[in-house]
Amino acid sequence: MTPIDSKVAPITTYFAVRRAPATGWVSGIPLRSQPLWPEHVVFMDALAAEHFVVLGGPIGEDNEALLVIDAPSEAAVRDRLSQDPWTTTGILAIRSIEAWTILLNSRPAR
């Protein structure tokens, strides 16, 4: 085993999900003032507490969000996010879902 091999993290695959404002997004209103904000927060916090959402939050300047999700399949990601009040009311929509294999991880193991 070379020194670099001893530092390689176990291979983990997550899904990188980009969500973007959809027809229900109210232009000109900040994120936390969008309709159903409290319900969206409760839903997303529950997904994080279950470790379904590993990391998440706004990305860039266009009110998009990036989620790192631990799920068995893309279908499972779509199913769970379809239950978000912001999805059911058309405030956010999935822009993309990509499998993401983590080869480097400096974060301590849980």
Side-chain angles (χ1 to χ4, degrees):
M1 178 182 285
T2 65
I4 191 118
D5 290 336
S6 67
K7 296 180 188 206
V8 174
I11 295 176
T12 303
T13 300
Y14 293 119
F15 289 92
V17 179
R18 285 189 78 120
R19 297 178 81 195
T23 57
W25 184 269
V26 181
S27 190
I29 294 178
L31 174 74
R32 290 181 168 94
S33 297
Q34 291 294 319
L36 300 174
W37 169 256
E39 293 85 348
H40 171 69
V41 168
V42 167
F43 178 81
M44 295 305 294
D45 282 351
L47 294 183
E50 296 167 20
H51 304 286
F52 181 79
V53 172
V54 179
L55 297 168
I59 188 167
E61 308 260 331
D62 295 324
N63 293 311
E64 290 193 12
L66 176 64
L67 303 173
V68 176
I69 294 181
D70 186 359
S73 67
E74 180 177 331
V77 172
R78 288 185 184 281
D79 180 59
R80 292 298 295 280
L81 293 180
S82 74
Q83 300 166 41
D84 181 358
W86 274 17
T87 301
T88 61
T89 57
I91 294 171
L92 279 183
I94 293 172
R95 181 172 167 209
S96 66
I97 300 177
E98 295 182 82
W100 182 25
T101 301
I102 306 300
L103 297 179
L104 298 172
N105 184 354
S106 67
R107 296 172 49 176
R110 288 177 157 223

